Amino acid sequence: MTAEYPTVPVAPAPAQSRPKRGRRWPWLVLGSLVLLAVLLVVADIGARAYAQGRAESEIRSQLPTNLQGDVSVSIGGFSFLSQLLAGSFHEVQLDAPALTVDGVPLAAHVTATDVPTDLSKPVGDIQATVTLDQSAVDSIVTLPGDASLVLGDGAVSYDGQVTVLGLTIGYRITGTVQASGTDVVIQPQSAALTQGSNLVDLSGVLGGLTKNPITVCVAQYLPQGATVQSIDVTSGQVSASLAAQQFVLSEDSLRTLGTCP
């Protein structure tokens, strides 16, 4: 007789859960987009750096022979590649902290907007600041009687002489400087006696010296079409703001300077 054993029920094996693909694909897409954005930014930065280096080389090769110095280029706006494809850069800045023009030292900063990638076409707007020290001003500004223009804090002064009743009278004029297109206008404000007799009343003579402004033409130092917008004078230094519109940045245009009457 065969023994019978009780039957033990066997629980079914738990089913293995499968990952829900529907929850993973948004993260995969997002990660791909982030990676693509990073690659585009890296490519944009690299292309911008390459273009800035090329621009610096091109500028150096096109500088007139009387102008010496290094120029750094910074291309603004985002993105560089989209601007390149559009054929125009929103803003380009040029910095030249140590230039010499015909041996005259100066520093320059230029901001150009609407700059075409084809430099045979005109730039929309150019704003520049040129800074000169006292020695540079002495070499380019000539006053009547070989007087020297002295740069003060917000004002300028110069010395001169006049003969009155056989007496040589020395005087010093102090005034302000204003920009007028391609001219720099020195407007006398006061006059003081530096040489001569105090026994003679010279108030009328000194007062007459302040009536007539002195106009100095600077067109021969500027590319044709550029104008002086404003002038800021500090002790031993002057900064001039220049402007030009629809200006072609080429060797010929940089070499073509204005003329004075």
Side-chain angles (χ1 to χ4, degrees), residues 44 47-48 76-89 117:
D44 195 90
R48 188 190 303 267
F78 186 84
S79 81
F80 170 82
L81 294 175
S82 64
Q83 293 182 90
L84 181 65
L85 293 175
S88 177
F89 297 113
T117 54

Side-chain angles (χ1 to χ4, degrees), residues 3-20:
E4 294 183 0
Y5 297 95
T7 302
V8 178
V10 179
Q16 295 182 352
S17 61
R18 297 181 179 180
K20 297 183 179 180

